Amino acid sequence: MKRFFRTVVFLASVVCCCGCGRKGEFDGTGSRQYADIAMGTVIRQSIYAPERTADTFIKTAQVYLEHLERDFLSWRLDTSEVYRINASAGSEEGCALSEEMAELLYSCMKLHRDSAGAFDVTLGAAVRLWDIDGWAAGREGEVFSPPSDGAVEEALTFCGGEQINLVRGAESRLFMPEGMRLDLGAVGKGFALAGIGELLKEQEEIGGAVISLGGSILTYGQKPDGSPWRVSIVDPFDTADSVGILTLRGQWCISTSGDYERYAEAGGVRYHHILDPATGYPADSGVRGVTVLSGDGLVSDALSTACFILGPEQGLALAAEYGAEVLFVMADGEIVMSQGMESYIEVGR
Ligand code: ADP
Ligand code: MG
């Protein structure tokens, strides 16, 4: 990740010289609060630091996220590494990888194996076919209808984490079969928050921070008065409400995946954006929402997606393997959680 940070620091100083960027607002607790759009979602930052340090950091984080999206993670932008990898699918020479990408894909492949295939970053063809993100964002004058069984079956022939070959070395390479497409949507935000955590550590004047990016939240350091972070877990049955509050100290990443986040409806059926690689259809495991707590953003984000597909029995075992805590809200309203989660949560409904 080092290369990113250097680029970010350079770009951030350019931004500061231009004098642009957004000013934060004090919330009366000593933190500066900022909201913006990044990686196609809302980013909220609360930074406990002197005003100028906080204002500079917010820009640094924003520039870092733009950089990640443009140069690394996006499957849409032809400037990104994922785009280049996807364009190389089917070629004999494969695609040369940056060290960061080789490391990320190595972790994703391990998660694929450990989750019995539930977590799969090679689902691009199926994700594009459904395009739930596109439908959830709204398409004027068009009515959603799910793809045909045949189209889903065909898309699945271009998916499957076991079909990619990652060769690691001085120059790592990835080989993918023709038609396969990577989609890192299930880990992008957690990966980005892990990167922001590293950037925060370089800022001695920042005592604490809470940063949320889509369905993932990073807590860092502590508040000036030493009181703990309190992070609310959204209730999938009423997103304005919460199923409980986590009380946390220091650095954590909390990721939530749910069927209420992005979906499209047809014939009274809700089609959400988390696909079961075994069927090519939205996962149907009786889970409405999963929250995972881990010290590592990549782990919390990947596991929240995997556990949503696996359900509590296998999901609890997977989380334990990664030293993470997990909470499931089931379709019948039942809450199932790992034993360790009980020491962080105050259930509120
Ligand atoms: P969000 O992005 O809303 O926080 P997730 O982290 O659960 O939600 O990621 C969902 C995204 O991951 C989908 O929009 C899609 O791009 C991708 N995806 C869908 N199903 C899977 C899966 N089984 N494994 C890995 N990625 C998936
Ligand atoms: Mg995820």
Side-chain angles (χ1 to χ4, degrees), residues 122-141:
T122 71
L123 283 182
V127 173
R128 293 292 80 74
L129 173 70
W130 282 92
D131 191 26
I132 296 296
D133 288 1
W135 286 103
R139 288 186 179 165
E140 217 162 300

Side-chain angles (χ1 to χ4, degrees), residues 267-285:
V269 179
R270 176 180 288 202
Y271 297 90
H272 60 75
H273 70 310
I274 301 169
L275 302 181
D276 183 344
T279 64
Y281 281 81
D284 182 17
S285 54

